[in-house]
Amino acid sequence: MTEHHDYQGAKMGMWIFLFTEILLFGGLFVLFAVTFQRYPTEFHEASKLLDVTMGTTNTVVLITSSLCAALSIVALQRGERKRSEMLIGLTILLACCFLVIKYFEWSAKFHHGIYPGSTEIADWAPGKQAYFALYYAMTGLHGIHVIIGMAVLGWVWWLIRREKCTPDHFVALENAGLYWHLVDLIWIYLFPLYYLIT
Amino acid sequence: MADTAQGFMAPKGRHWILEWLFTIDHKRIGMLYLWCIALFFVVGVLLGLIIRLELFGPGKDIIGPQAYNAIFTLHGVIMIFIVVIPSIPAAFGNIFLPLQLGAEDVAFPRLNMFSWWLYIIGGAIALVSLFTGGGAPDTGWTFYVPFSAVTSTNVSVAVAGVFILGFSSILTGLNFIVTIHRLRAPGLKWTRLTLFAWALYATAWIQVLATPILSITVVLIAIERLLGMGIFDPARGGDPILYQHLFWIYSHPAVYIMILPAMGVISDIIPVFCRKSIFGYKTIVGSSLAIAFAGSLVWAHHMFVSGMSDTAVMVFSLLTFVVAVPSAVKVFNWLSTMYKGAIRPEPPLIFALGFIFLFAMGGITGLVLGSAGTDMHVHDTYFVVGHFHYVIFGGTGFGMFAAIHYWFPKIYGRMYNKKLANISAVILVVGLNGLYFPMYLLGLAGMPRRYYDYLPQYTELHQWSTYGSWITAIGLILMFYNLIHSRYRGELVGRNPWQAATLEWTLPSPPPSHNFDEEPVVTHGPYDFHEVRDHD
């Protein structure tokens, strides 16, 4: 079956999809902005409870993974298939690291009873509760995107192995890379918002 | 490629169910949408008739209050998310957009199939929510918090369905944008695009840019309910008004997802039946884009009484007036096209005229609601119900009916009974006015919307409205009978029974699986009928 390849069309479709993803998170950023404006001191207090070290480590992990994804595209374009595969593998591995660190970070919080709807935080000031509601909503949604991104990268890895994604037709890898950069980008906004601005 | 009499609907070898469910042919996908939408429309209408019957007299007539709340919620959810939003773009857009562009298919055929699957899964989940858990949702289709966060009914499942339906809508929009940008036939410049394609283009951008906000909003309701999140709960630092903002940032532009494609259909139909090029092609294009843009800035006019600042109320009131301008521009363009045209009163035109009248009734009362002062008086009354039913049923619904009657001979290669079609159109116009005009009067008299019971002084108007619903039902039965009967028994027609000038009419009816044997080269605009006359 002959398929027509429209490189520009495929890229355009992906960019439009990324816009929708930004808007999806945009709703939450709006909620954050409004709530932050309403409870500046409570947000200040609450953000001190987050672990900056873990957040920073995760930022570094995710940026590195994004670099690997970008290098993998270059490798495939140059025809270095093995290296491209390895770099995608590395991207997925780093994504796993991100999730593991996130897991420890969240479970420590859960251990202290800091999660929406817990009896521990029921007595807290409303602003502090709102901070953690948004924190879990936004980092949780981001986490789901990390998992989806890993699945997409895994799929492209398989495509490359089956030589369905080749140095001539690499748009699947490129689009997966774009998606991964978006996942990275959203974290780059989440990180200072929650961990650094106090 | 030899055409069979059945065109793209001819069997291809595999079992016919598999062949249809996993088709990547845009025409078949469009047909799948069309049938599903028709089916859900019938369900929605039946629910609407039950609501009207219950409201025939004060107190209990046929159902209790809880069932009433569930039924109007269901009526809204089905009609808005499953019927009206996908109606014209997903059904007729899928069938005819690639044909009008001279393309083989949409840009991403597999994604297109995936969109339909999402649509069906989302619709099924929405239906499942009725019969499982704590019973059908009773929140109204807007799922307003705080009630939607605390009610014991099955809201979480229903919003999951809406989320998936939204995803389907986004992907369809994305597909259309890329298709229009990339797959136009040689010579098909942007200024030679049909106005239907232009309307779909404007619609697609709204689908892509507005729907994600709804997605996140319904996700938040679900996690508010499942995890006790507190994002909209004031006791925990949240704010229910923020929910309304997020909801309407999508759902107001969604109104234009509903109406713009219908306007596109009307803009395609009127020149054909007046044998005259459309008046002001560029202003119609411009007004479509202007509606898409300005329509995204007016969401807060749903919230004038929610406690916004006076400045905000004035700004949103003004913006609402602004969005009425391009809509009015279109109406004047249609009327100017008809002026001194050689009018042929065929059914598509009759439906189009019904559309213009009913849409104008809805549009003008929209201004009453958009003006902050008058809105205070009629806010959340039957006036609003009348307004949006005129726009959505009288507008989108009639646009849909006009589209069916316009393209029916192309899809099936057969013609329906024109006289019967005209009669059903007239009955429907009468029925809709009977059904919805009393609602304006009820609203002005102070009857609140969504109420199960009412004071005796509203009885007479409610009864008129219910009579109207019966007339509407008769019109619908007649129309559906005519179409279904003609699908099998109708007289065979050739390629171009209406002598239209757009590309889909150059193909056999029904079109073959492979659209164009050779890529068409476009040398004139979509409403240039000189060439068509030469062919005949």
Side-chain angles (χ1 to χ4, degrees):
Chain A
M1 169 168 153
T2 55
E3 253 182 284
H4 84 122
H5 290 274
D6 180 5
Y7 176 76
Q8 282 197 37
K11 287 293 286 282
M12 190 177 175
M14 192 63 201
W15 275 106
I16 295 172
F17 180 70
L18 294 182
F19 277 135
T20 69
E21 287 279 26
I22 288 172
L23 285 160
L24 184 80
F25 278 93
L28 288 169
F29 278 105
V30 167
L31 281 178
F32 182 92
V34 174
T35 323
F36 180 46
Q37 186 259 348
R38 194 166 294 164
Y39 306 107
T41 37
E42 287 88 342
F43 268 46
H44 172 69
E45 290 299 315
S47 84
K48 283 187 198 161
L49 296 171
L50 292 182
D51 190 330
V52 183
T53 321
M54 281 191 168
T56 313
T57 318
N58 253 350
T59 309
V60 174
V61 167
L62 214 52
I63 293 179
T64 315
S65 77
S66 230
L67 176 70
C68 292
L71 290 175
S72 157
I73 298 167
V74 178
L76 189 68
Q77 282 170 337
R78 286 187 184 161
E80 300 166 5
R81 215 189 77 197
K82 278 283 156 216
R83 175 173 296 185
S84 174
E85 274 175 34
M86 189 201 72
L87 282 162
I88 297 177
L90 207 57
T91 313
I92 297 173
L93 197 70
L94 286 165
C96 277
C97 282
F98 177 89
L99 289 177
V100 169
I101 294 171
K102 200 85 230 164
Y103 169 76
F104 282 115
E105 203 183 345
W106 275 30
S107 31
K109 291 277 168 303
F110 285 4
H111 188 70
H112 291 108
I114 305 174
Y115 56 88
S118 80
T119 45
E120 295 280 319
I121 67 168
D123 303 328
W124 284 11
K128 246 173 122 179
Q129 291 187 46
Y131 178 90
F132 277 100
L134 285 167
Y135 168 77
Y136 282 109
M138 292 174 83
T139 55
L141 188 66
H142 178 261
I144 291 171
H145 278 77
V146 171
I147 295 168
I148 296 170
M150 285 163 69
V152 172
L153 289 167
W155 171 67
V156 177
W157 181 80
W158 179 81
L159 283 184
I160 296 175
R161 280 189 78 84
R162 296 284 301 270
E163 299 202 25
K164 287 184 174 170
C165 187
T166 62
D168 298 322
H169 294 298
F170 49 81
V171 74
L173 173 60
E174 212 175 23
N175 278 346
L178 275 177
Y179 186 77
W180 193 249
H181 296 325
L182 177 88
V183 171
D184 186 27
L185 181 77
I186 288 168
W187 179 256
I188 304 253
Y189 282 104
L190 290 179
F191 173 60
L193 220 50
Y194 281 100
Y195 293 82
L196 300 183
I197 304 173
T198 63
Chain B
M1 177 119 347
D3 298 321
T4 65
Q6 289 168 293
F8 69 98
M9 282 183 274
K12 305 267 185 311
R14 273 200 294 177
H15 192 278
W16 67 273
I17 290 183
L18 295 177
E19 208 171 76
W20 275 90
L21 292 185
F22 297 101
T23 180
I24 54 170
D25 181 350
H26 65 98
K27 299 179 289 297
R28 285 187 167 209
I29 292 172
M31 295 300 290
L32 288 173
Y33 272 114
L34 188 58
W35 291 327
C36 296
I37 288 165
L39 202 66
F40 278 115
F41 176 73
V42 171
V43 176
V45 167
L46 290 175
L47 293 171
L49 288 169
I50 294 173
I51 298 171
R52 278 318 324 164
L53 209 54
E54 167 53 40
L55 292 172
F56 194 75
K60 181 177 170 174
D61 291 330
I62 50 165
I63 48 173
Q66 183 62 29
Y68 174 81
N69 287 351
I71 285 179
F72 81 65
T73 301
L74 223 63
H75 172 75
V77 170
I78 288 179
M79 283 304 206
I80 297 283
F81 293 113
I82 310 183
V83 175
V84 174
I85 287 179
S87 62
I88 296 173
F92 292 104
N94 260 319
I95 302 174
F96 290 108
L97 177 66
L99 299 182
Q100 291 193 333
L101 298 179
E104 267 307 305
D105 207 321
V106 290
F108 309 114
R110 286 204 187 81
L111 189 71
N112 203 14
M113 177 184 71
F114 183 59
S115 302
W116 182 77
W117 272 100
L118 286 177
Y119 169 76
I120 282 301
I121 294 167
I125 291 176
L127 285 188
V128 162
S129 74
L130 315 180
F131 306 110
T132 55
D138 54 352
T139 58
W141 74 278
T142 52
F143 302 115
Y144 268 8
V145 292
F147 184 64
S148 64
V150 296
T151 174
S152 63
T153 55
N154 217 356
V155 171
S156 304
V157 178
V159 295
V162 169
F163 178 83
I164 295 170
L165 288 167
F167 204 46
S168 162
S169 178
I170 290 174
L171 293 178
T172 302
L174 187 157
N175 217 338
F176 283 2
I177 293 173
V178 179
T179 305
I180 294 172
H181 271 273
R182 303 289 307 159
L183 298 182
R184 280 170 289 134
L188 190 57
K189 297 183 286 192
W190 284 92
T191 47
R192 285 179 184 163
L193 221 50
T194 62
L195 287 166
F196 181 57
W198 266 113
L200 288 178
Y201 183 70
T203 308
W205 276 111
I206 310 177
Q207 285 177 299
V208 163
L209 296 179
T211 316
I213 316 279
L214 176 80
S215 306
I216 192 65
T217 311
V218 295
V219 166
L220 289 174
I221 297 178
I223 60 175
E224 185 103 359
R225 289 176 63 86
L226 300 175
L227 308 174
M229 208 58 151
I231 281 178
F232 301 122
D233 179 0
R236 287 180 282 176
D239 186 348
I241 303 293
L242 285 178
Y243 173 85
Q244 296 190 14
H245 277 294
L246 287 178
F247 181 83
W248 287 112
I249 284 175
Y250 163 77
S251 296
H252 195 78
V255 173
Y256 300 103
I257 298 178
M258 304 173 200
I259 198 68
L260 273 170
M263 290 171 155
V265 170
I266 304 304
S267 304
D268 258 19
I269 286 175
I270 286 187
V272 172
F273 295 94
C274 299
R275 309 312 296 164
K276 215 170 138 230
S277 189
I278 190 97
F279 179 87
Y281 175 90
K282 282 179 185 160
T283 44
I284 293 190
V285 170
S287 65
S288 289
L289 299 174
I291 287 171
F293 175 71
S296 305
L297 303 176
V298 302
W299 75 89
H301 68 207
H302 295 263
M303 303 164 59
F304 285 157
V305 298
S306 297
M308 289 193 297
S309 74
D310 288 349
T311 318
V313 169
M314 282 195 354
V315 168
F316 281 106
S317 193
L318 177 72
L319 286 169
T320 305
F321 277 49
V322 168
V323 79
V325 175
S327 309
V329 163
K330 279 184 196 288
V331 173
F332 293 130
N333 276 319
W334 295 325
L335 297 181
S336 311
T337 306
M338 296 183 70
Y339 179 67
K340 286 189 177 170
I343 294 173
R344 297 182 299 174
E346 305 272 20
L349 185 72
I350 304 298
F351 276 100
L353 295 179
F355 168 94
I356 296 177
F357 172 69
L358 295 167
F359 174 74
M361 288 284 286
I364 290 166
T365 50
L367 287 174
V368 176
L369 292 165
S371 324
T374 42
D375 181 64
M376 300 290 166
H377 180 62
V378 290
H379 189 90
D380 264 350
T381 65
Y382 263 76
F383 194 87
V384 181
V385 183
H387 157 71
F388 72 70
H389 278 94
Y390 263 108
V391 174
I392 294 175
F393 197 171
T396 315
F398 255 66
M400 185 83 185
F401 300 157
I404 291 175
H405 286 86
Y406 180 52
W407 279 310
F408 185 91
K410 175 51 62 185
I411 295 174
Y412 290 110
R414 291 174 186 274
M415 186 59 81
Y416 42 80
N417 182 334
K418 288 181 181 174
K419 199 171 168 193
L420 213 54
N422 283 341
I423 293 171
S424 65
V426 173
I427 293 178
L428 279 170
V429 173
V430 172
L432 284 188
N433 279 303
L435 175 51
Y436 300 124
F437 196 81
M439 292 189 180
Y440 286 145
L441 305 177
L442 277 171
L444 289 171
M447 167 81 203
R449 70 194 277 199
R450 294 190 169 143
Y451 276 31
Y452 170 72
D453 199 0
Y454 54 84
L455 295 170
Q457 66 260 37
Y458 300 123
T459 312
E460 200 184 343
L461 286 167
H462 271 297
Q463 285 176 348
W464 280 110
S465 180
T466 304
Y467 296 140
S469 74
W470 297 341
I471 299 173
T472 308
I474 292 169
L476 288 175
I477 292 168
L478 200 62
M479 187 185 80
F480 275 118
Y481 162 76
N482 187 17
L483 292 173
I484 293 168
H485 183 261
S486 312
R487 182 244 176 283
Y488 298 101
R489 298 281 158 78
E491 195 185 324
L492 286 171
V493 289
R495 288 174 184 241
N496 194 358
W498 309 127
Q499 287 94 43
T502 42
L503 277 176
E504 75 267 32
W505 300 101
T506 62
L507 293 170
S509 314
S513 291
H514 289 277
N515 297 346
F516 295 93
D517 283 340
E518 52 190 289
E519 194 170 34
V521 177
V522 181
T523 53
H524 58 89
Y527 311 110
D528 182 353
F529 297 106
H530 299 94
E531 306 240 348
V532 182
R533 285 209 189 99
D534 293 344
H535 281 301
D536 287 343

